[in-house]
């Protein structure tokens, strides 16, 4: 079938083109996309931090409505509302143990441009292959995806808000709820109050953490963090966050979540902890970090943990997060800013300069919640 998509080439970040999209095969689903989030991981492809074979259609936080299903699909049917998650094989040790975020084939399935069939459903009108991204390529009007990429969600919830649950919101909240698993009363610090950091902070609030400390360099974002549940905020341009966190907590924090990828911030995420504390980092950083392992980690029995996609099984965590959103416990509507698909370039600019915390591209302008 013919679709419209924002294609990325070495010459141009985004250009709207007509592409061919293959019909769903055995175990695949065709989804009419309603909206899609803009994520920092998309930007890392544009700046070549993460290489994906061009040309490619980016986008990996899609939400939409099932149009058609291939043979042997059992979890969704046409008309179902869905969120598209990341690709995972479902067969490696980690997947079988319930940690799809740690899939051994994560890089291959999400960044190689090919799906589990070692092919892409996207081609140009001249039949040139176009890389699929994260098994979905949601900067498009339709997507053909593996059934494991599909998460059925509540039809009563506005689909335009739900795409980022497939990556950014799941990463932040899953890192808290699945990875570090704080107990009520544990102290929690988030470094970076973007979409991932704030969703982690909201999960910490749901988990009963106290105090909840937000660290950033933007006063406006810290004000939003306070509105969303931070008990304390620190602008690290104005004061030493490590000293202030230890002043607030006494012994240091039980847990920190580092979302920036800036080496100095990662070190602060370690140094602010109490003995036996855990720092979880989820960022894609460009710079190396050098530190003395004994002084920074061993001496205080600390843990520095790298987390991918919130150690989550999307089919388990996303419906739970959507229910939190529906009940008002996860007010991500305060984080998002809507754009037309054709304004994707501006959405990336606004995401980079901080004027939009979570840009969402509206693809189906006729959709009504």
């Amino acid at each position: 079938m013919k679709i419209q998509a924002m294609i990325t080439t070495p010459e141009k970040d985004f250009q709207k083109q007509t592409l061919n999209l293959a019909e769903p095969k055995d175990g695949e689903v065709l989804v009419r996309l309603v909206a899609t989030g803009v994520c920092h991981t998309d930007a890392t492809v544009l700046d070549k931090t993460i290489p994906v074979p061009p040309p490619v259609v980016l986008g990996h936080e899609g939400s939409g409505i099932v149009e058609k299903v291939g043979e042997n699909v059992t979890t969704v049917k046409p008309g179902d509302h869905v969120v598209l998650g990341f690709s995972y094989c479902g067969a490696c040790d980690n997947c079988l143990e319930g940690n799809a975020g740690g899939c051994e084939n994560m890089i291959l399935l999400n960044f190689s441009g090919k799906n589990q069939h070692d092919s892409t459903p996207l081609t140009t009108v001249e039949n040139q292959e176009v890389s699929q991204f994260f098994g979905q390529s949601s900067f498009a009007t339709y997507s053909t995806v593996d059934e494991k990429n599909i998460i059925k969600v509540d039809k009563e919830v506005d689909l335009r808000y739900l795409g980022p649950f497939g990556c950014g919101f799941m990463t932040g909240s899953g890192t808290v709820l699945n990875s570090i698993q704080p107990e009520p009363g544990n102290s929690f610090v988030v470094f970076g109050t973007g979409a991932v950091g704030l969703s982690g902070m909201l999960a910490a609030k749901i988990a009963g953490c106290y105090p909840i400390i937000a660290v950033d360099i933007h006063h406006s974002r810290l004000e939003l963090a306070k509105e969303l549940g931070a008990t304390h905020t620190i602008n690290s341009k104005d004061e030493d966050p490590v000293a202030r966190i230890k002043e607030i907590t006494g012994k240091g924090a039980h847990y920190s979540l580092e979302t920036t990828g800036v080496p100095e911030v990662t070190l602060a995420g370690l140094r602010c902890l109490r003995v036996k504390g855990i720092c979880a980092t989820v960022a894609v950083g460009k710079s190396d970090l050098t530190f003395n392992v004994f002084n920074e980690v061993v001496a205080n029995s600390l843990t520095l943990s790298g987390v991918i996609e919130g150690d989550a099984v999307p089919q388990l965590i996303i419906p739970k997060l959507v229910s939190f959103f529906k009940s008002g416990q996860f007010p991500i509507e305060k984080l998002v800013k809507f754009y037309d698909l054709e304004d994707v370039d501006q959405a990336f600019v606004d995401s980079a300069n901080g004027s939009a915390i979570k840009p969402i591209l509206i693809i189906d302008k006729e959709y009504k919640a």
Side-chain angles (χ1 to χ4, degrees):
M1 65 180 293
K2 302 293 184 186
I3 67 169
Q4 297 297 305
M6 288 295 178
I7 191 169
T8 296
T9 66
E11 295 76 34
K12 192 171 179 61
D13 283 350
F14 299 107
Q15 184 176 24
K16 194 171 187 180
Q17 287 190 18
T18 299
L19 299 179
N20 299 316
L21 178 67
E23 294 289 316
K25 300 175 183 177
D26 183 30
E28 293 183 336
V29 180
L30 175 66
V31 177
R32 174 169 59 85
L33 289 156
V34 168
T36 182
V38 169
C39 180
H40 178 66
T41 306
D42 297 304
T44 63
V45 177
L46 298 180
D47 68 15
K48 299 180 175 57
T49 301
I50 296 179
V52 177
V56 57
V57 175
L58 297 177
H60 62 285
E61 294 184 338
S63 59
I65 300 170
V66 174
E67 189 88 356
K68 186 185 296 186
V69 300
E71 293 184 8
N72 298 312
V73 171
T74 60
T75 57
V76 293
K77 63 184 183 303
D80 283 343
H81 288 198
V82 295
V83 168
L84 305 186
F86 60 87
S87 289
Y88 60 95
C89 72
C92 71
D93 290 349
N94 288 338
C95 284
L96 292 175
E97 289 174 356
N99 185 2
C103 175
E104 296 170 13
N105 298 294
M106 172 69 70
I107 300 300
L108 179 68
L109 291 175
N110 291 279
F111 300 108
S112 72
K114 302 291 182 69
N115 57 25
Q116 289 199 67
H117 305 294
D118 194 33
S119 63
T120 172
L122 295 164
T123 58
T124 67
V125 292
E126 295 84 14
N127 290 318
Q128 176 191 7
E129 286 191 347
V130 176
S131 287
Q132 189 179 41
F133 188 56
F134 265 72
Q136 59 175 277
S137 289
S138 55
F139 290 173
T141 50
Y142 288 83
S143 182
T144 295
V145 303
D146 188 274
E147 185 178 11
K148 289 190 294 298
N149 283 69
I150 293 282
I151 302 93
K152 184 177 176 180
V153 293
D154 188 340
K155 283 188 176 183
E156 293 183 359
V157 183
D158 191 337
L159 269 173
R160 293 173 297 178
Y161 289 97
L162 300 189
F165 284 110
C167 185
F169 295 156
M170 174 172 62
T171 294
S173 58
T175 299
V176 173
L177 299 175
N178 296 330
S179 303
I180 64 176
Q181 297 183 352
E183 296 181 356
N186 285 166
S187 49
F188 174 84
V189 184
V190 60
F191 288 86
T193 53
V196 174
L198 288 173
S199 58
M201 192 194 77
L202 287 169
K205 181 181 178 182
I206 289 170
C209 289
Y210 184 88
I212 297 174
I213 306 167
V215 183
D216 206 304
I217 59 173
H218 300 287
H219 285 296
S220 60
R221 292 196 174 195
L222 291 172
E223 285 300 315
L224 178 59
K226 189 179 296 183
E227 179 184 343
L228 293 175
T231 60
H232 301 77
T233 60
I234 300 170
N235 190 314
S236 54
K237 289 172 68 175
D238 301 333
E239 57 183 327
D240 177 1
V242 173
R244 179 68 178 127
I245 290 164
K246 291 193 172 181
E247 180 184 341
I248 294 167
T249 59
K251 296 181 180 180
H254 289 92
Y255 301 103
S256 64
L257 170 59
E258 198 285 300
T259 70
T260 72
V262 177
E264 295 79 8
V265 179
T266 305
L267 279 177
L270 279 169
R271 291 170 176 169
C272 75
L273 297 172
R274 63 174 57 200
V275 174
K276 298 291 289 184
I278 296 174
C279 172
T281 181
V282 300
V284 179
K286 297 181 182 179
S287 302
D288 292 341
L289 170 61
T290 301
F291 61 90
N292 184 288
V293 174
F294 177 80
N295 290 341
E296 303 293 351
V297 178
V298 178
N300 288 310
S301 299
L302 303 182
T303 299
L304 176 62
S305 176
V307 183
I308 298 176
E309 296 289 354
D311 282 336
V313 176
Q315 285 77 9
L316 296 178
I317 194 171
I318 290 176
K320 185 184 299 182
L321 296 176
V322 171
S323 70
F324 288 154
F325 172 51
K326 185 178 181 180
S327 68
Q329 294 175 276
F330 210 80
I332 51 89
E333 73 278 2
K334 297 180 180 179
L335 279 60
V336 307
K337 183 177 180 181
F338 292 131
Y339 298 78
D340 290 341
L341 178 61
E342 293 75 13
D343 295 326
V344 59
D345 287 288
Q346 188 61 51
F348 273 83
V349 169
D350 292 351
S351 178
N353 66 28
S355 59
I357 294 177
K358 173 52 71 173
I360 293 179
L361 306 176
I362 302 301
I363 298 168
D364 183 358
K365 299 173 188 176
E366 303 300 316
Y367 168 81
K368 303 293 184 184

